[in-house]
Amino acid sequence: MKEALRIKSAPSLRIVVGFSGGLDSTVLLHTLSLYSKANTHVSIEACHINHQLSPNAKSWQSHCQTVCEELGVPFRSQVVTLEPKGLGIEAAAREARYTAFKDMCGVDGVLLLGQHLDDQAETVLIRLMRGSGPLGISAMQSIAFHGNLPVIRPLLDVPREKLEVVADELSLRWIEDESNASLTYDRNFLRHHILPALDTRWPALNQRLARSARLCREAVNLADEVAANDLAEVLHSEGGLRIEMLRQLSDLRLKNVIRYRLRRLNLPLPSEVVLRRVLCDVLDAGPDAKPRVCWKGAEARRYRGSLYFINALPAGELEKAEPVLLTSLSKTTLEGGVDALTLPWGGVLFIASSRQSLVSLWSDMEGRGAGTLAIELLPAPLQKLSVALGKGKSSVRPIGRSSNPLKYWWQQYHIPFWFRDKQPLLYSDGELIAAPGMFTCVNTIELKEGGSAQETEQLSRWVSWWPYSL
């Protein structure tokens, strides 16, 4: 709990327990419920994810709800529909599960999961069989982040047999997932056939594997320190890596900083073969070339002497995109009070009450977004604002400048070419007021008669744009 309080830096703590109803999460929930009753500054709630993969899924959900009612712990459940999208069932289930966890935790929750020592040993072996490097073999961390969501695994050093003893002593009831007996899954094959045989030859095998994971994590942390220093040298404010400076690094440091950059952006890492293509096809391309190397979930681009890593633009019928009112867009409120509005053709429009909120957001996103500008958006006019997709031939006139096609301004502001087909334009009552990320088109920040500069600052809003999903 001390670590959770340190992460949140708050006098009170909201703990969300991922509660499947299995042995580990049952012991964890009971332990935390006792802790919460003795420490009123800590609140506990349980979150159950129904993956709809088992015919017993509904009964498991009912079981979890009953347990929580007996403990007096608030209970929430969410049914998810898996969308493999080229992923296996296990990976798709994990992705759906964490998406639900993020929704339930919000901005103030800390997620606690019940994985134990045996789970860690299985993960290490699975990663080894897949040919993973030190990052993969370091497996699960007791304290980690999934995006901005803090994730703590307090039982990671505890063997399953000890949890069984505790559960028996407390007369706890838990469910057994029938799929745990299926050898179709790699984890079950290791659990039932490989690990028992290895343990007879090398006693305390799980502890040995966990130690290897910790040592790999130390190596990763050291490599990250080197990469962080290198990234600070090559990264510019618009989110690109300066190719001229990348070329000054050794091959090992070059690959290390690229992998580090991708992880900081929460983008999937490429295979060795694909990474070599990035180094050869993108870094070594001519200055006028538009190279692009893609892998599942990400791609590498080059623009104006810089290397960019981005997630794939969502597919959409751009030519049919119609203007929409801001009030009709799906909205998510991020930390710092930033409203993130999802655009129908892909991308996000950010509106904040202060520039600093957006600066903090860009810092968290490692500079993926750039070009914040102030626009006075009072509550009444806000209802009238609409956003439309900009076209290269659209005539746009910034304040104090001449009217020119939008394509001209993209070139003037060095907007990467892969961003341009998603450029939003902001209108008020049909009048163009801003091209987010570049400039305003009307004098929207003016002192009201008799008003102070501070009052105007409080009334204004800051707007920016990111062409990709968060």
Side-chain angles (χ1 to χ4, degrees), residues 73-94:
V73 173
F75 173 80
R76 288 193 292 168
S77 63
Q78 186 166 328
V79 178
V80 297
T81 301
L82 302 188
E83 299 178 5
K85 297 178 181 177
L87 303 172
I89 290 295
E90 291 175 285
R94 182 178 184 275

Side-chain angles (χ1 to χ4, degrees), residues 79-115:
V79 178
V80 297
T81 301
L82 302 188
E83 299 178 5
K85 297 178 181 177
L87 303 172
I89 290 295
E90 291 175 285
R94 182 178 184 275
E95 185 174 292
R97 186 163 59 248
Y98 273 97
T99 298
F101 283 150
K102 286 181 179 180
D103 289 342
M104 294 189 178
C105 289
V107 297
D108 63 337
V110 177
L111 178 65
L112 264 66
L113 300 177
Q115 285 105 339

Side-chain angles (χ1 to χ4, degrees), residues 85-150:
K85 297 178 181 177
L87 303 172
I89 290 295
E90 291 175 285
R94 182 178 184 275
E95 185 174 292
R97 186 163 59 248
Y98 273 97
T99 298
F101 283 150
K102 286 181 179 180
D103 289 342
M104 294 189 178
C105 289
V107 297
D108 63 337
V110 177
L111 178 65
L112 264 66
L113 300 177
Q115 285 105 339
H116 47 73
L117 180 64
D118 299 45
D119 296 323
Q120 180 76 320
E122 293 164 5
T123 301
V124 172
L125 278 183
I126 287 174
R127 302 282 176 81
L128 278 170
M129 294 305 101
R130 292 174 180 171
S132 297
L135 177 63
I137 299 171
S138 65
M140 295 178 286
Q141 307 305 307
S142 57
I143 301 174
F145 285 85
H146 194 275
N148 291 324
L149 173 64

Side-chain angles (χ1 to χ4, degrees), residues 15-19 29 44-48 68 73-77 104:
I15 294 292
V16 178
V17 181
F19 185 39
L29 183 63
I44 305 293
E45 56 192 82
C47 169
H48 176 81
C68 289
V73 173
F75 173 80
R76 288 193 292 168
S77 63
M104 294 189 178

Side-chain angles (χ1 to χ4, degrees), residues 211-372:
R211 182 169 62 250
S212 292
R214 287 194 298 272
L215 293 174
C216 283
R217 173 50 57 177
E218 290 182 7
V220 169
N221 289 343
L222 176 59
D224 282 353
E225 286 186 16
V226 175
N229 290 332
D230 288 340
L231 184 63
E233 294 294 324
V234 303
L235 178 67
H236 59 66
S237 62
E238 295 180 357
L241 309 184
R242 298 180 182 89
I243 291 176
E244 182 178 349
M245 300 186 70
L246 285 173
R247 288 195 175 116
Q248 298 175 18
L249 300 176
S250 68
D251 191 56
L252 288 176
R253 286 174 62 180
L254 175 58
K255 290 187 287 187
N256 185 48
V257 75
I258 286 176
R259 291 190 178 108
Y260 179 77
R261 173 63 171 164
L262 287 165
R263 285 165 45 215
R264 297 288 291 179
L265 294 176
N266 294 319
L267 294 175
L269 299 180
S271 67
E272 283 187 287
V273 173
V274 173
L275 180 55
R276 179 52 57 185
R277 284 188 56 209
V278 171
L279 299 182
C280 296
D281 298 351
V282 181
L283 261 64
D284 293 340
D288 296 328
K290 297 182 179 179
R292 179 187 183 192
V293 173
C294 302
W295 60 98
K296 186 176 293 183
E299 59 187 60
R301 300 267 201 163
R302 174 176 174 151
Y303 180 68
R304 293 180 60 85
S306 293
L307 173 67
Y308 291 84
F309 293 106
I310 52 181
N311 58 312
L313 278 166
E317 300 184 35
L318 301 181
E319 297 301 323
K320 299 180 181 179
E322 297 291 335
V324 293
L325 290 172
L326 292 193
T327 52
S328 68
L329 299 178
S330 174
K331 181 177 75 172
T332 301
T333 301
L334 308 176
E335 288 193 51
V338 178
D339 287 337
L341 307 178
T342 301
L343 297 170
W345 49 82
V348 181
L349 194 68
F350 298 101
I351 300 180
S353 59
S354 72
R355 184 180 186 279
Q356 185 56 44
S357 296
L358 286 179
V359 170
S360 298
L361 177 64
W362 299 147
S363 176
D364 292 340
M365 296 170 66
E366 295 288 329
R368 284 191 293 176
T372 59

Side-chain angles (χ1 to χ4, degrees), residues 41-54:
H41 64 288
V42 177
S43 65
I44 305 293
E45 56 192 82
C47 169
H48 176 81
I49 309 300
N50 182 347
H51 298 92
Q52 304 184 87
L53 293 177
S54 168

Side-chain angles (χ1 to χ4, degrees), residues 446-457:
E446 293 180 341
L447 286 177
K448 299 296 182 182
E449 186 175 351
S452 66
Q454 182 178 3
E455 290 171 340
T456 300
E457 174 66 22

